[in-house]
Amino acid sequence: MDDEVLHGYLQHHWVGSTAGVSLFQRVARTHGIDEVATAVGQLADEIEQERETLRRVMHDLGARPSTVGTIAAKAGAELGRLKPNGRLLTRSPLTDLVEIEALRIAVFGKRAGWQALRSVADADPRLDAALLDSLVARSEHQLEKLAELHLTTARRRIAA
């Protein structure tokens, strides 16, 4: 196992998870459709738990989360709020749809990370294959839920 590459990979996913948790929490607070906001809040709790699982996996592998990366991810999550939506002072209804799409992309990336680790777990006893299998399955369930929330949001925002 090339620990240098593995540690770098984990640090990249740590940065992504930091931004992802922030985005999930913000969407849960600000989404304009109450039932979608509630569901995203539940997913945010799961995503935050998985971030802590990633921290434990990193610890078990001798890797540390990047402090600079963590700060950059938090700043990036805030900068991501500055997007063209045709409005300066108010929230566009389009924002609800675009943010759900961003959540889907984040979970696709997270799932890919768990899948990559699972693909090498049999060669490294420090990795728990059963845990990684459950994290991949959980990500797939989250993607299914986000697909439903995406369509709900699209119908409510585009058809309105």
Side-chain angles (χ1 to χ4, degrees), residues 64 69 123 138 148:
R64 284 193 225 166
R138 188 178 203 182
E148 293 170 17

Side-chain angles (χ1 to χ4, degrees), residues 9-50:
Y9 186 73
L10 291 168
Q11 287 179 341
H12 279 84
H13 275 276
W14 176 261
V15 169
S17 73
T18 300
V21 166
S22 293
L23 180 59
F24 267 88
Q25 291 171 338
R26 181 166 49 81
V27 172
R29 284 190 317 270
T30 62
H31 199 281
I33 304 169
D34 290 341
E35 63 267 24
V36 173
T38 299
V40 169
Q42 293 166 350
L43 290 172
D45 293 341
E46 290 182 18
I47 301 297
E48 192 168 17
Q49 290 169 5
E50 288 182 53

Side-chain angles (χ1 to χ4, degrees), residues 13 106-116 135-137 139-140 143:
H13 275 276
V107 175
F108 274 114
K110 176 177 66 78
R111 181 184 65 178
W114 295 135
Q115 288 172 325
L135 290 165
V136 169
S139 295
E140 289 170 357
L143 286 169

Side-chain angles (χ1 to χ4, degrees), residues 119-148:
S119 76
V120 299
D122 294 335
D124 191 327
R126 300 173 298 174
L127 290 167
D128 181 342
L131 171 65
L132 294 168
D133 285 338
S134 71
L135 290 165
V136 169
R138 188 178 203 182
S139 295
E140 289 170 357
H141 172 75
Q142 291 164 346
L143 286 169
E144 290 169 9
K145 184 64 180 173
L146 285 166
E148 293 170 17

Side-chain angles (χ1 to χ4, degrees), residues 1 8 80 105:
M1 193 67 59
I105 292 167

